[in-house]
Amino acid sequence: MKQQKTVLICPLNWGLGHATRDIPIVKRLRDAGCRVIIATEAPLSTIFQESFPGIETDYFPGPKIRYHKSGSLLWKLLLQVPGMCYWLLKERLAIKQLVRKYKPDCILSDNRYGVKHKNVYSIIITHQLMIKLPGLIRFLEKPLHLFVKWLIQAFDECWVPDNPRPDSLAGDLAHKYPFPENAKLIGPISRFMDNGDSVVQNRTDLTKYKNLVVLSGPEPQRSILKKLLISQLSVIDEKSIILCGNPDENQKTNEKMSDNLTFVPHLNPEKLRLLMSDCPTVICRSGYSSIMDLWFLKKSAILIPTPGQTEQEYLAEHNKNRHFYIRQEDIPEKLIGSIGKNQVYSDAYCNQSLLQRAIDTLLLRGDKNQLHH
């Protein structure tokens, strides 16, 4: 065993959420004296550098998924399955090079099924143990789950960031079928877990806003949503701020379209936490990382799923007792009427010890060869 463990963390670059939700894991590993290397690509690497200045990073690209303006996202993703299988093999070759370079004691893969190594203890982080399918092909959910389960069981462990039922945020995505034998719950994880007492300078510059929009997700749907929201928010007599989710853009100046509409490319977690907590209305996609962030803040929001993305549509429906659910095509008719309203967010269940227990158990392990004898 090495005195200082080396942990290689490899998040999938399908939105900033796979980086932001790994922040508390990185913090706890570094607090325990581990050497942590992040292997991913921009803009995720920028998120980690912002949160942990000087952290080691390496370039590890992932599959590029193409999205379209209309039609079922699922069918378009299915057409890309051969390319995704190619990336699965490519990731397995790339991880061999990273293992030779850094000699890690453990690999943490956030939703990258090819990122494991036979000689290194490998853990996958995912809440999606089954995949929601649209009505006509829903009968394929069970076979697809068995395939996902087969991929997961190739890892030494699977960490599921969710609560047990009835407090589950992921619902069927995590709990519809029995867990794989190597899976364990680690509780919801969020960039807001560890900065509740942070102090933000110039607080009044942020609290003047009544509405916060957090843009995320793939193009072109991100730009379509932005345009729809601008058309609605620009005509109301309230100050709104639109967070564009572009951490690599210049943040020195904020763009103003009007006296009541401001754009910023990115905010650090402290400022974002303040805005999300204090703004009467938060508008965002129903991605799972966003739902976990809102859960930690006990904040109700207006959730707008990416059209055709069955996971987000299900998550918005599953969590509608905590949030408002508006389809993107209904924004012109329903958005303004929902602004200023809030659901009663009464959830008090919070067991952060699950994550710490999983990390403590990991750090007590020897190397993989010792574990298998």
Side-chain angles (χ1 to χ4, degrees), residues 1 7 223 322 333 357:
M1 290 178 61
V7 181
S223 293
R322 305 177 178 99
E333 291 78 27
R357 192 182 311 160

Side-chain angles (χ1 to χ4, degrees), residues 129-131 133 140-149:
L129 304 182
M130 65 88 66
I131 297 173
L133 299 177
L140 294 175
E141 283 184 353
K142 181 66 178 290
L144 187 56
H145 158 72
L146 294 175
F147 176 67
V148 171
K149 183 178 180 180

Side-chain angles (χ1 to χ4, degrees), residues 118-287:
K118 63 180 181 179
N119 296 326
V120 182
Y121 202 78
S122 302
I123 300 171
I124 186 166
I125 303 168
T126 183
H127 67 281
Q128 203 165 4
L129 304 182
M130 65 88 66
I131 297 173
K132 282 288 181 181
L133 299 177
L136 291 177
I137 56 171
R138 190 164 295 163
F139 68 95
L140 294 175
E141 283 184 353
K142 181 66 178 290
L144 187 56
H145 158 72
L146 294 175
F147 176 67
V148 171
K149 183 178 180 180
W150 176 74
L151 290 174
I152 287 173
Q153 288 176 328
F155 289 79
D156 295 288
E157 287 187 51
C158 172
W159 288 1
V160 183
D162 193 17
N163 293 317
R165 281 183 162 168
D167 301 289
S168 169
L169 301 180
D172 285 353
L173 301 181
H175 297 282
K176 183 171 183 178
Y177 299 106
F179 270 23
E181 292 182 0
N182 61 340
K184 65 171 70 172
L185 290 170
I186 63 169
I189 51 179
S190 165
R191 59 187 137 181
F192 300 137
M193 289 175 70
D194 302 312
N195 65 349
D197 298 326
S198 58
V199 177
V200 176
Q201 301 296 324
N202 300 321
R203 181 185 179 100
T204 55
D205 290 341
L206 299 175
T207 56
K208 64 185 178 183
Y209 297 106
K210 298 298 183 183
N211 308 302
L212 166 66
V213 174
V214 182
L215 291 174
S216 62
E219 293 291 0
Q221 289 297 337
R222 179 200 295 247
S223 293
I224 294 172
L225 176 61
K226 180 180 178 181
K227 185 177 180 179
L228 283 168
L229 293 176
I230 288 172
S231 68
Q232 299 297 304
L233 296 175
S234 60
V235 298
I236 63 175
D237 189 24
E238 293 179 348
K239 290 188 179 296
S240 302
I241 181 168
I242 297 180
L243 180 61
C244 298
N246 298 316
D248 289 324
E249 288 189 11
N250 187 343
Q251 300 176 52
K252 292 182 179 179
T253 59
N254 296 338
E255 174 190 353
K256 281 193 175 183
M257 280 198 60
S258 63
D259 289 339
N260 66 345
L261 201 56
T262 300
F263 295 86
V264 293
H266 179 66
L267 289 173
N268 63 43
E270 291 80 12
K271 290 183 178 180
L272 179 57
R273 181 186 182 113
L274 176 63
L275 272 172
M276 290 184 74
S277 297
D278 287 1
C279 280
T281 301
V282 175
I283 304 169
C284 63
R285 291 293 194 194
S286 52

